[in-house]
Amino acid sequence: MVETREEAGMAAVHPAPQSLQGPLDQHSNDKEDSQKAEEKKLKPGATVEVDIKDKEETTKTTDVTNELETIKGTSEVVEQREEEVSTCEEVDAAVQAALRVDRRVVSEVEDGALPQELAAEAEWDLHEKPEWVDRDVQALREMVEAEPGLRSRLDKPFLLAFLRARKFDYDKAMAMIRSYYRARQENADMYIELYPSALEHVWPLQMQTVLPTPDRLGRTVIIFRTGAWLPEACGLDDVFRSQVVLLEHVVRLPVTQLRGIAAIVDCSGLSMTHAYYLTPTHIRRMISVIQEVFPLRFKALHFVHEPSIFDWVFSLIKPFLSETIKGRLHFHGEDLESLHQHIQAEELPEELGGTQGPLDNTFLLENLKKHEDYFKELRPYGCTEPVKKIITLKMSAGISHLRKHLLRIVHYNC
């Protein structure tokens, strides 16, 4: 029988029979449990809140632990860096102490070895390894001994100077030794009496000196004052000889071989009188000493107080300069502050805007005279066979140009 809508409505209102009540209650309970489960999925319940709190606490604990480990690690890194900085400062202090040796003083017992503090720099810059030095010196010594027509010094300090000047390239060091002795043979008249006491008339002019302290880059500083030269008191050959004696002295200091030379040329007082005596031959000789002959590295050439005539004089010298040397020239004019950026004013004489009083080479001269015997011992060495003078077309053309230019300058000023 089909229920009417009213009957169906009444059935929904009246309770179900007792026989069906149990299954219905069970069904109702199951439905409620299902709904609660769904609510738990849809709404954060007590259990979910506890889980979240537990996770938050765990996360906080982990974060704190990680933070502590990070702080500990950072502290260790900071300590390590502080130790490295302290070590670097100690190394720098040791290096600075090694560089602050008086550049005018040479020890008689000098064996050519560098201070231990400079060994790493020598290896990086010159390819010099302490454990290989004896082997390198012996290799060069054997090359020198095998060279026909050459009588050379063979002691370790002498050979080390040439090896360092050519960054331990055996062939280049050997070529420089040849040039060193060849220059003495070709210019024998310039190399006679090449010792301090033979130049007593030159030193009082206070033309040149060596500073006791280095420049800001640790280079040995040599000062030459062109205007202090009096042609009537000493000839240009004597000036050249005094410069060679000076270089022979400073090259014996290993730290100078490593860091090189910074030369200051004070041109105040330079005049046409000086230019008149400046022949192409003298120019060529002086330039060859700087570029080819002497086992020293000229790292900087500073010109100050250049007068108007300087441009003319420099035009005589420039054709002989290598591109390397040209790149190391500094022209300061009257701006001595620019010079002080390279060499501290506290180390310079008053002629160069310094605080050390007038230039004085007395202490240097005393040290040169202490080594008089050393210079006299150099005389027997040299080439034992005639050396042919080879002048390239470029050099000949350069000398011709200089001679014409000199005549032009003299004519102009007359």
Side-chain angles (χ1 to χ4, degrees):
M1 181 178 71
V2 177
E3 285 184 313
T4 64
R5 291 182 179 178
E6 289 78 4
E7 292 174 342
M10 292 301 294
V13 173
H14 292 288
Q18 188 67 33
S19 59
L20 296 176
Q21 190 65 41
L24 288 175
D25 289 343
Q26 181 66 34
H27 175 73
S28 176
N29 291 336
D30 292 343
K31 185 174 180 182
E32 288 178 1
D33 292 341
S34 176
Q35 288 176 348
K36 288 180 180 180
E38 289 296 326
E39 288 177 357
K40 287 181 179 180
K41 291 181 180 179
L42 296 175
K43 298 180 181 180
T47 303
V48 175
E49 289 178 358
V50 170
D51 290 344
I52 291 174
K53 288 181 179 179
D54 290 342
K55 289 181 180 180
E56 288 177 350
E57 292 296 328
T58 303
T59 303
K60 288 180 179 179
T61 303
T62 304
D63 290 343
V64 170
T65 303
N66 291 339
E67 187 175 353
L68 289 173
E69 290 178 354
T70 302
I71 293 172
K72 182 180 179 182
T74 303
S75 177
E76 291 176 353
V77 170
V78 170
E79 289 177 1
Q80 183 179 355
R81 287 180 179 173
E82 287 177 349
E83 290 177 0
E84 290 175 354
V85 169
S86 177
T87 302
C88 289
E89 289 176 351
E90 291 176 2
V91 171
D92 288 344
V95 169
Q96 290 302 318
L99 292 175
R100 295 292 292 185
V101 296
D102 194 324
R103 303 303 175 92
R104 302 166 298 179
V105 179
V106 175
S107 172
E108 286 287 2
V109 295
E110 192 68 62
D111 66 349
L114 281 164
Q116 183 61 37
E117 296 81 3
L118 300 177
E121 179 185 343
E123 181 173 350
W124 171 79
D125 188 21
L126 305 179
H127 314 302
E128 174 181 341
K129 293 189 176 183
E131 62 271 24
W132 291 357
V133 165
D134 289 337
R135 180 205 67 179
D136 296 332
V137 169
Q138 182 57 30
L140 182 58
R141 182 180 290 121
E142 292 173 1
M143 293 175 70
V144 172
E145 290 176 327
E147 183 76 9
L150 178 63
R151 186 186 179 192
S152 170
R153 287 173 52 189
L154 299 173
D155 56 282
K156 182 179 177 180
F158 177 80
L159 297 177
L160 258 179
F162 287 90
L163 283 169
R164 287 175 178 144
R166 289 298 178 258
K167 298 192 174 183
F168 280 76
D169 185 310
Y170 298 167
D171 293 330
K172 290 182 178 179
M174 184 66 230
M176 185 171 237
I177 291 175
R178 290 193 199 100
S179 298
Y180 174 82
Y181 284 115
R182 185 178 296 123
R184 288 173 173 264
Q185 185 185 42
E186 293 179 349
N187 306 288
D189 57 324
M190 300 275 283
Y191 283 87
I192 58 173
E193 297 187 336
L194 202 62
Y195 38 88
S197 63
L199 298 165
E200 291 285 5
H201 59 298
V202 178
W203 307 120
L205 297 178
Q206 300 288 343
M207 277 190 294
Q208 64 271 90
T209 194
V210 178
L211 294 186
T213 51
D215 71 356
R216 297 184 187 276
L217 296 177
R219 302 159 179 168
T220 297
V221 180
I222 294 177
I223 300 175
F224 181 73
R225 299 168 61 220
T226 59
W229 171 39
L230 300 177
E232 63 275 13
C234 67
L236 198 55
D237 289 356
D238 292 331
V239 175
F240 176 81
R241 277 195 286 269
S242 66
Q243 286 297 95
V244 171
V245 167
L246 197 65
L247 295 177
E248 286 280 9
H249 181 71
V250 299
V251 75
R252 297 176 65 190
L253 200 63
V255 68
T256 300
Q257 297 169 13
L258 174 63
R259 288 294 178 107
I261 294 287
I264 303 175
V265 183
D266 181 2
C267 301
S268 58
L270 180 66
S271 66
M272 276 307 307
T273 302
H274 300 107
Y276 180 80
Y277 290 95
L278 197 62
T279 67
T281 301
H282 284 101
I283 293 173
R284 179 169 59 84
R285 286 170 175 170
M286 288 186 289
I287 297 302
S288 68
V289 167
I290 295 175
Q291 295 185 161
E292 306 161 9
V293 171
F294 226 80
L296 275 175
R297 299 194 294 168
F298 283 81
K299 308 295 285 187
L301 290 165
H302 299 275
F303 294 88
V304 296
H305 299 311
E306 306 99 297
S308 57
I309 193 178
F310 174 81
D311 292 338
W312 292 344
V313 175
F314 185 71
S315 70
L316 311 180
I317 300 171
K318 189 175 180 180
F320 296 104
L321 298 177
S322 67
E323 293 303 316
T324 300
I325 294 296
K326 288 178 183 177
R328 296 173 179 175
L329 302 178
H330 304 269
F331 303 96
H332 301 282
E334 300 302 320
D335 183 10
L336 294 180
E337 289 186 2
S338 65
L339 173 67
H340 299 162
Q341 293 176 8
H342 300 271
I343 305 166
Q344 305 90 320
E346 295 78 13
E347 312 293 349
L348 292 169
E350 64 183 32
E351 292 88 345
L352 299 172
T355 60
Q356 290 299 313
L359 186 144
D360 186 4
N361 60 15
T362 304
F363 183 82
L364 173 65
L365 181 57
E366 291 173 356
N367 278 271
L368 288 174
K369 289 182 177 180
K370 289 179 183 178
H371 299 277
E372 181 86 6
D373 291 340
Y374 170 82
F375 287 98
K376 290 182 178 180
E377 289 171 1
L378 300 178
R379 289 183 295 183
Y381 299 106
C383 297
T384 58
E385 295 179 1
V387 179
K388 294 181 180 179
K389 294 184 179 181
I390 301 175
I391 301 177
T392 63
L393 181 61
K394 180 179 178 181
M395 184 64 76
S396 298
I399 292 174
S400 176
H401 164 75
L402 294 181
R403 185 178 291 111
K404 291 178 180 178
H405 200 80
L406 274 173
L407 293 174
R408 188 181 303 117
I409 291 174
V410 173
H411 181 267
Y412 175 83
N413 282 270
C414 291

